[in-house]
Amino acid sequence: FESRIWDVYRELYYGKTGSVSSVYLWEKDNNKDGRNATGGFAGCFLIKNTLKQDGGSIALGEWSSIHVVDVGAVKEGKCVYNITTTVLLSLEPSGGGSSTISGSLSRQNKRECSVSLASRDEINTTGGIDTSHIVNIGKMIEEVESNMRSEMDSLYIQKTRNVVDMMWTDERPNVSTEWQEHTKTLNEAVFAMSMKGKGNLTDK
């Protein structure tokens, strides 16, 4: 059940082609109740998206997002979620050569959310996990991925461009232009992935 829900998320944000997703859930050592509404559990939500272009500025681009989730036990209708997210981005510009642009970004988020206890029949239908957990985890992952895409575009890529502009002078125009093209390519790729996600949501 969790894999089907996660697959829908992948299609909405990354498209049906070029992307794959996986979900892994396991019980924590101190959990005696299993993956249900009262006992805590842990999980890993994975997405990999590959983009290939003919004639564009990017020959090959890969985006991988890894979300490791720790779910605490439910107490008085509340549950604490800890999510560690890592995004890996790798780009190969067009035009030949062996240059590759790559980087990673990690963030941690913690949130306490309300959990409505489901019936035993409902839990069995969803494969042993309460639907409240699925909703809470999904909202957190959606929010952190959106923030990290914006952060990579507005902060890191723009900062890289500013540093390159400061490092290289007019006396080295060829090298300067080459580095500026690299940062421009990275900026365009992240923006394209973000717009692709928005377009898919609109179409749905």
Side-chain angles (χ1 to χ4, degrees):
F1 180 79
E2 300 91 341
S3 296
R4 295 197 301 270
I5 296 296
W6 187 236
D7 204 43
V8 171
Y9 174 89
R10 174 191 60 81
E11 290 185 4
L12 287 173
Y13 277 94
Y14 297 93
K16 295 183 178 181
T17 59
S19 60
V20 293
S21 62
S22 298
V23 177
Y24 303 92
L25 299 175
W26 60 90
E27 298 177 14
K28 296 193 290 188
D29 293 339
N30 60 350
N31 177 27
K32 303 299 183 181
D33 298 321
R35 293 185 290 109
N36 55 40
T38 57
F41 62 94
C44 187
F45 297 75
L46 310 170
I47 284 182
K48 182 174 183 179
N49 187 35
T50 301
L51 175 65
K52 293 183 179 181
Q53 290 184 335
D54 295 326
S57 59
I58 299 296
L60 176 65
E62 291 186 349
W63 169 289
S64 299
S65 54
I66 305 167
H67 306 274
V68 179
V69 182
D70 182 271
V71 181
V74 177
K75 297 180 180 180
E76 298 180 355
K78 299 285 185 178
C79 182
V80 176
Y81 300 86
N82 288 278
I83 296 183
T84 301
T85 298
T86 300
V87 171
L88 308 173
L89 181 64
S90 176
L91 302 170
E92 293 183 11
S94 302
S98 57
S99 61
T100 300
I101 304 171
S102 61
S104 63
L105 183 64
S106 297
R107 290 290 181 268
Q108 290 184 328
N109 289 272
K110 181 178 180 180
R111 185 176 301 173
E112 184 179 60
C113 302
S114 299
V115 175
S116 58
L117 298 181
S119 66
R120 176 57 57 182
D121 291 339
E122 290 174 326
I123 293 175
N124 292 335
T125 301
T126 59
I129 182 172
D130 191 274
T131 53
S132 293
H133 289 312
I134 298 175
V135 172
N136 293 336
I137 293 172
K139 288 181 178 179
M140 290 184 68
I141 290 178
E142 181 180 29
E143 181 179 317
V144 70
E145 278 205 344
S146 178
N147 291 339
M148 291 178 74
R149 279 195 294 265
S150 299
E151 190 173 354
M152 291 181 73
D153 178 33
S154 62
L155 178 59
Y156 291 95
I157 296 176
Q158 299 298 335
K159 185 176 181 180
T160 300
R161 177 180 296 142
N162 293 337
V163 171
V164 169
D165 291 340
M166 292 174 61
M167 288 176 60
W168 302 103
T169 66
D170 294 337
E171 296 177 359
R172 307 177 70 177
N174 294 333
V175 181
S176 177
T177 301
E178 179 182 350
W179 277 90
Q180 288 175 353
E181 286 299 320
H182 280 311
T183 55
K184 178 182 178 182
T185 297
L186 182 60
N187 188 36
E188 290 176 349
V190 175
F191 179 75
M193 289 182 178
S194 176
M195 293 303 297
K196 180 180 178 181
K198 294 179 180 178
N200 289 327
L201 286 176
T202 301
D203 294 340
K204 294 292 181 179

